[in-house]
Amino acid sequence: MNEIVRYLAVGVLNTLFGYGCFSVLLYLGLHYSVASLLATVLGVLFNFKSFGQLVFNSRDNSRFVRFVGVYLLAYLVNVAALALLTRMGLNAYAAGAVLLLPMAALTYILHKRFVFHHA
């Protein structure tokens, strides 16, 4: 299985985990920016090992800081896009769902170029 297919397969698992966290946090009454931040933090911890080992064949924990940097940037992009989409009339659940694939593409490119480029 090639790397992009593995990334997508592992990404489905990671996305279910992350969006599940986001949805539960929204349901609990948190603002979408806080829900997104907490879901991202939980997702980063879960995703580091799954992407590193299952996609990029890396067990190098020294890459964690760069991995976190990718997710920090992704969080900022995601919250800005959530704000835009909610201002356009989408509710936060739908806006989060709309952003799933674009955010997956962004994080794959950033992981490939800046985190696991030598794995």
Side-chain angles (χ1 to χ4, degrees):
M1 186 180 323
N2 78 27
E3 186 177 273
I4 292 174
V5 173
R6 285 193 317 267
Y7 191 86
L8 291 173
V10 172
V12 168
L13 172 65
N14 293 349
T15 298
L16 290 172
F17 178 82
Y19 190 69
C21 290
F22 176 72
S23 296
V24 167
L25 293 167
L26 280 178
Y27 179 77
L28 293 174
L30 292 160
H31 186 269
Y32 64 76
S33 62
V34 176
S36 182
L37 174 63
L38 294 175
T40 299
V41 169
L42 294 171
V44 166
L45 298 172
F46 185 81
N47 299 355
F48 178 66
K49 288 297 183 180
S50 63
F51 279 134
Q53 291 179 11
L54 299 174
V55 177
F56 298 106
N57 299 314
S58 173
R59 288 178 166 69
D60 183 357
N61 290 331
S62 71
R63 297 171 190 268
F64 186 71
V65 171
R66 287 179 280 175
F67 192 84
V68 170
V70 164
Y71 274 94
L72 177 58
L73 178 60
Y75 167 74
L76 295 173
V77 170
N78 193 49
V79 168
L82 285 167
L84 177 65
L85 292 173
T86 57
R87 282 189 201 123
M88 293 172 60
L90 286 178
N91 68 44
Y93 294 99
V98 165
L99 292 171
L100 290 174
L101 287 178
M103 293 306 299
L106 175 66
T107 57
Y108 173 76
I109 292 165
L110 294 173
H111 284 141
K112 180 74 175 165
R113 290 190 179 183
F114 299 110
V115 180
F116 299 108
H117 58 284
H118 296 296

